[in-house]
Amino acid sequence: MKMGVYLLPSPAFLAVLFVSFVTLSVHPEPALAITRHYKFDVVLQNVTRLCKTRSTVTVNGKFPGPRIVAREGDRLLIKVVNHVQNNISIHWHGIRQLRSGWADGPAYITQCPIQTGQSYVYNYTIVGQRGTLWWHAHISWLRSTIYGPLIILPKLGTPYPFAKPYKEVPLIFGEWFNADPEAIINQAMQTGGGPNVSDAYTINGFPGPLYNCSAQDTFKMKVKAGKTYLLRLINAALNDELFFSIANHTLTVVDVDAVYVKPFDTETLLIAPGQTTNVLLKTKPRHPNAKFFMSARPYVTGQGTFDNSTVAGILEYEESPETIQSSHSPKKLPIYKPSLPPLNDTSFATNFTSKLRSLASAEFPANVPQKFDRQFFFTVGLGTNPCSKNKTCQGPNGTMFAASVSNVSFVMPTKALLQAHHFGQSKGVYSLNFPTSPLVPFNYTGTPPNNTMVSNGTKLVVLPFNTSVELIMQDTSILGAESHPLHLHGFNFFVVGQGFGNFDPKKDPGNFNLVDPVERNTVGVPSGGWVAIRFLADNPGVWFMHCHLEVHTSWGLKMAWVVLDGKLPNQKLFPPPADLPKC
Ligand SMILES: *[C@@H]1O[C@H](CO)[C@@H](O)[C@H](O)[C@H]1NC(C)=O
Ligand SMILES: *[C@@H]1O[C@H](CO)[C@@H](O)[C@H](O)[C@H]1NC(C)=O
Ligand SMILES: *[C@@H]1O[C@H](CO)[C@@H](O)[C@H](O)[C@H]1NC(C)=O
Ligand SMILES: *[C@@H]1O[C@H](CO)[C@@H](O)[C@H](O)[C@H]1NC(C)=O
Ligand SMILES: *[C@@H]1O[C@H](CO)[C@@H](O)[C@H](O)[C@H]1NC(C)=O
Ligand SMILES: *[C@@H]1O[C@H](CO)[C@@H](O)[C@H](O)[C@H]1NC(C)=O
Ligand SMILES: *[C@@H]1O[C@H](CO)[C@@H](O)[C@H](O)[C@H]1NC(C)=O
Ligand SMILES: *[C@@H]1O[C@H](CO)[C@@H](O)[C@H](O)[C@H]1NC(C)=O
Ligand SMILES: *[C@@H]1O[C@H](CO)[C@@H](O)[C@H](O)[C@H]1NC(C)=O
Ligand SMILES: *[C@@H]1O[C@H](CO)[C@@H](O)[C@H](O)[C@H]1NC(C)=O
Ligand SMILES: *[C@@H]1O[C@H](CO)[C@@H](O)[C@H](O)[C@H]1NC(C)=O
Ligand SMILES: *[C@@H]1O[C@H](CO)[C@@H](O)[C@H](O)[C@H]1NC(C)=O
Ligand SMILES: [Cu+2]
């Protein structure tokens, strides 16, 4: 049996452990921030799942990739060396990157890709964040195998706002494809059709026993009775939001996207690609003489085909001395399965997300902008592009699938936007005319318009430093309403309101929560509904915003914000690093 057991030692132990391969800066005092060095070699590795072996692009030959552990306040220097034929870039998902936008990672947005044989040192400091984030490739579909946890421990001497867990365990969900994901998306972009769906979901890289030829590849978590474990859940799946539950155990949600929330109990949770959720798992007081599945399967509202399979890991209790003395064979223990919501359970999704509230304590306040300087109304959804004359296309009615924000399907530039902005060379690269609201209003969630064609361009919004922004994102029913997990780089935002149907600018703002709304970096725009977010544009740079369903991003559901430097020296983007890749 492959034992996929990943147990994190307690934070105090980690501090000692890490000194062995971390270069300390000049101050060895433990309370001070340190610089942590990592090296990521991007290499091919044969990986076997579901009895199929595939040459896979990995970091350091590992799938999932290595775990980064740091403390709030630390600087990270991560040297990425590209040994494969693909272009590479890596994004540190959810890290604020204050003034260090050069290290954010999305290819052609903040940097040119790291080409074969080249390297780049990502250099950034973790400021005001603690919890679970993650890192992943941010070019094409390479994040299907290039991803891993990024764990931020609180500063030494700052306890968690909940009882110290006995152990901490990252659980990272992914999607496994038997075919090469790069070939899948390249073919789909050629034909205009929907890409092939995954063959399995995974937990820490393992599909588990519910798939054919997979029982050997099961993530197992061994626990002691009567303890509290902190599970750090990360959804790294490419295209699917997931429900997750552990049979016979209740979970307490304490943190999302590296921000503490008011704790609440739930049997099942929902996690969108890009999101993270920390939960406390209290184990049973005594060995239950049973094993328990930890299962995930998708939440789907769209109309296309999808991977409807279920991944399971196994929660096992360690034998107590009494059990070992008794004659039971542990192999014969019964195994319980959780019941997960139906695949289309929008009422569960709505109920769950409405429970998420910022902790909003004196120590961890919710700094919700109480007013806004600029308001934006964006539609998000699918659409089509025409098929070229001598081609047959596999999108709706012989067209090509597309997706857009406010009917602008984003065209990737061939130069990085941040360089173009910083060096005043935007001409021919991007324009600053992204519409503040749709140019042609329509009944967004009613009968779709006959013409589903999108426009396109590399259009951005410019914001002066410290602008407070309110943004309403409205799903459309063009080609079917669908939930879209929207991710904003460079900021956390507050989710001040959400609802179904069309946003009503007269009635809805009256119900906004400006006291303790959840603060995060990725939010699901409800299927056939809208969400309202607020953020303070206090981070100069060029910041990508996109759907974290990778297929929608490929189709153009993305745009970017330019935040200008402020007047003070500490309000300006750092100069570009010398090794910044060139296009
Ligand atoms: C992967 O397997 C192929 C075929 O067995 C082999 O030629 C290749 O060297 C392997 N690659 C790696 C990185 O081990
Ligand atoms: C990291 O970035 C900071 C801010 O730009 C800079 O002062 C420092 O020299 C950089 N460190 C390395 C090793 O490049
Ligand atoms: C697990 O839950 C099932 C269904 O609620 C129940 O029948 C069973 O007794 C429970 N088993 C344990 C060991 O808690
Ligand atoms: C998954 O989808 C396939 C193909 O549409 C269908 O045959 C199967 O019953 C579905 N399985 C589940 C568990 O819904
Ligand atoms: C969910 O799917 C079930 C079974 O396919 C269907 O009967 C039900 O109407 C669907 N519910 C919603 C809200 O779409
Ligand atoms: C919402 O969640 C609460 C608590 O888990 C539950 O009691 C209630 O039935 C749920 N409501 C819906 C509509 O699912
Ligand atoms: C369409 O056909 C013309 C003439 O045969 C050819 O030159 C062109 O490359 C084709 N375009 C596409 C998109 O296949
Ligand atoms: C495809 O064409 C049919 C018949 O003309 C029409 O009813 C349908 O709405 C079209 N679908 C899309 C997605 O345009
Ligand atoms: C929009 O469409 C919905 C669903 O068809 C309908 O109930 C609603 O009245 C429409 N709204 C407007 C303003 O036309
Ligand atoms: C959309 O197409 C239908 C059927 O062809 C037609 O009856 C309707 O008037 C069209 N609507 C618009 C807004 O053009
Ligand atoms: C953008 O739209 C124009 C006009 O419809 C079209 O010719 C072009 O192919 C589109 N570009 C992309 C990248 O989709
Ligand atoms: C890699 O990136 C460079 C710079 O943008 C580009 O010229 C080249 O075509 C890319 N190579 C591949 C294989 O995509
Ligand atoms: Cu989407």
Side-chain angles (χ1 to χ4, degrees):
M1 272 265 171
K2 209 169 282 175
M3 294 299 287
V5 179
Y6 295 76
L7 290 182
L8 261 189
S10 72
F13 177 27
L14 270 174
V16 179
L17 189 74
F18 266 78
V19 168
S20 58
F21 56 93
V22 153
T23 309
L24 290 167
S25 60
V26 277
H27 304 286
E29 290 88 318
L32 291 182
I34 61 169
T35 298
R36 298 176 191 259
H37 296 252
Y38 284 85
K39 184 154 182 247
F40 278 19
D41 283 298
V42 179
V43 293
L44 291 179
Q45 173 71 42
N46 290 330
V47 176
T48 304
R49 294 291 184 271
L50 315 176
C51 286
K52 302 251 171 27
T53 301
R54 180 159 72 70
S55 174
T56 303
V57 188
T58 66
V59 167
N60 300 349
K62 292 189 174 151
F63 170 69
R67 185 186 303 166
I68 288 182
V69 184
R71 273 189 197 285
E72 180 183 346
D74 288 349
R75 175 178 296 280
L76 280 166
L77 290 175
I78 303 157
K79 182 173 187 177
V80 177
V81 188
N82 184 2
H83 303 276
V84 301
Q85 292 308 306
N86 312 67
N87 283 336
I88 285 289
S89 76
I90 296 198
H91 170 52
W92 318 92
H93 184 114
I95 294 278
R96 288 283 326 266
Q97 300 290 5
L98 288 166
R99 304 174 61 202
S100 57
W102 308 107
D104 190 41
Y108 302 106
I109 307 298
T110 60
Q111 67 166 96
C112 297
I114 307 168
Q115 297 182 43
T116 310
Q118 294 182 352
S119 69
Y120 179 45
V121 178
Y122 289 89
N123 169 4
Y124 56 88
T125 304
I126 302 170
V127 182
Q129 298 183 281
R130 76 297 296 172
T132 307
L133 294 173
W134 60 299
W135 56 267
H136 62 80
H138 213 306
I139 182 164
S140 191
W141 276 23
L142 289 175
R143 79 171 178 86
S144 61
T145 52
I146 300 208
Y147 63 82
L150 199 170
I151 291 162
I152 310 168
L153 303 171
K155 288 182 174 171
L156 279 176
T158 308
Y160 292 126
F162 43 83
K164 187 174 179 297
Y166 172 67
K167 283 212 168 115
E168 306 191 356
V169 187
L171 254 62
I172 189 159
F173 303 109
E175 260 174 288
W176 173 258
F177 295 78
N178 287 332
D180 175 11
E182 289 301 281
I184 291 174
I185 186 57
N186 289 341
Q187 190 203 22
M189 296 306 283
Q190 284 297 314
T191 64
N196 290 350
V197 301
S198 53
D199 296 285
Y201 296 101
T202 55
I203 297 179
N204 292 344
F206 296 113
L210 303 179
Y211 296 94
N212 286 337
C213 199
S214 182
Q216 301 304 300
D217 293 321
T218 299
F219 172 70
K220 295 187 168 182
M221 193 174 121
K222 274 222 152 66
V223 294
K224 283 192 160 70
K227 303 279 187 201
T228 300
Y229 290 77
L230 177 69
L231 307 185
R232 296 173 176 273
L233 311 176
I234 300 162
N235 188 348
L238 273 192
N239 293 316
D240 293 272
E241 301 187 43
L242 295 168
F243 294 120
F244 172 75
S245 185
I246 304 181
N248 298 69
H249 289 75
T250 299
L251 304 170
T252 307
V253 178
V254 293
D255 178 316
V256 297
D257 295 4
V259 183
Y260 296 127
V261 296
K262 291 193 171 72
F264 68 92
D265 288 352
T266 188
E267 310 295 314
T268 302
L269 57 85
L270 176 65
I271 185 167
Q275 295 181 333
T276 64
T277 309
N278 282 1
V279 299
L280 298 176
L281 166 72
K282 241 191 196 139
T283 56
K284 306 214 171 272
R286 277 188 201 82
H287 194 297
N289 288 314
K291 299 184 189 185
F292 306 93
F293 270 175
M294 312 187 282
S295 303
R297 71 174 188 183
Y299 163 56
V300 181
T301 52
Q303 291 171 342
T305 50
F306 60 96
D307 177 353
N308 61 5
S309 65
T310 303
V311 57
I314 300 178
L315 181 74
E316 290 181 354
Y317 280 72
E318 281 176 16
E319 309 263 338
S320 62
E322 310 92 83
T323 330
I324 291 168
Q325 277 158 22
S326 77
S327 57
H328 305 163
S329 158
K331 294 281 179 303
K332 288 193 189 130
L333 294 178
I335 189 150
Y336 290 95
K337 300 179 181 179
S339 69
L340 287 162
L343 300 174
N344 59 1
D345 198 341
T346 293
S347 73
F348 177 91
T350 310
N351 199 359
F352 179 78
T353 53
S354 71
K355 289 179 200 155
L356 292 168
R357 297 295 169 96
S358 283
L359 183 59
S361 65
E363 195 175 358
F364 303 104
N367 295 316
V368 192
Q370 294 296 309
K371 55 160 201 59
F372 53 84
D373 303 315
R374 299 283 312 273
Q375 190 187 36
F376 299 89
F377 180 87
F378 293 174
T379 59
V380 296
L382 304 187
T384 53
N385 267 325
C387 195
S388 33
K389 292 269 172 336
N390 45 2
K391 249 171 95 175
T392 53
C393 294
Q394 288 166 15
N397 286 353
T399 63
M400 314 255 302
F401 267 117
S404 70
V405 181
S406 294
N407 200 40
V408 182
S409 191
F410 190 83
V411 176
M412 281 308 260
T414 52
K415 293 183 175 146
L417 299 178
L418 185 59
Q419 278 103 313
H421 160 65
H422 188 71
F423 295 106
Q425 294 164 348
S426 62
K427 201 161 177 263
V429 181
Y430 66 82
S431 59
L432 290 174
N433 55 350
F434 193 90
T436 12
S437 61
L439 299 178
V440 184
F442 61 101
N443 188 342
Y444 306 108
T445 52
T447 311
N450 289 354
N451 180 359
T452 59
M453 297 294 168
V454 297
S455 78
N456 68 42
T458 308
K459 299 182 183 183
L460 280 58
V461 176
V462 65
L463 298 170
F465 185 81
N466 258 350
T467 305
S468 60
V469 174
E470 179 171 279
L471 168 64
I472 320 292
M473 290 184 284
Q474 169 76 59
D475 184 31
T476 74
S477 53
I478 301 173
L479 303 183
E482 195 165 344
S483 167
H484 299 280
L486 261 288
H487 172 47
L488 175 61
H489 290 228
F491 302 93
N492 282 342
F493 49 76
F494 292 93
V495 183
V496 297
Q498 66 173 61
F500 289 104
N502 299 334
F503 172 70
D504 182 338
K506 291 201 181 70
K507 284 197 202 127
D508 290 322
N511 298 323
F512 284 179
N513 174 4
L514 302 179
V515 178
D516 64 352
V518 68
E519 177 183 349
R520 59 190 325 168
N521 63 58
T522 305
V523 66
V525 178
S527 181
W530 55 270
V531 66
I533 66 172
R534 286 193 186 183
F535 66 95
L536 181 65
D538 60 354
N539 191 11
V542 176
W543 303 109
F544 208 19
M545 189 176 86
H546 60 96
C547 183
H548 223 282
L549 305 183
E550 213 55 42
V551 56
H552 293 175
T553 305
S554 302
W555 288 339
L557 211 168
K558 49 195 171 187
M559 55 82 66
W561 307 80
V562 180
V563 178
L564 303 176
D565 279 349
K567 291 205 173 67
L568 302 176
N570 66 358
Q571 298 174 338
K572 295 183 196 300
L573 184 67
F574 289 128
D579 60 345
L580 186 69
K582 295 182 175 59
C583 286

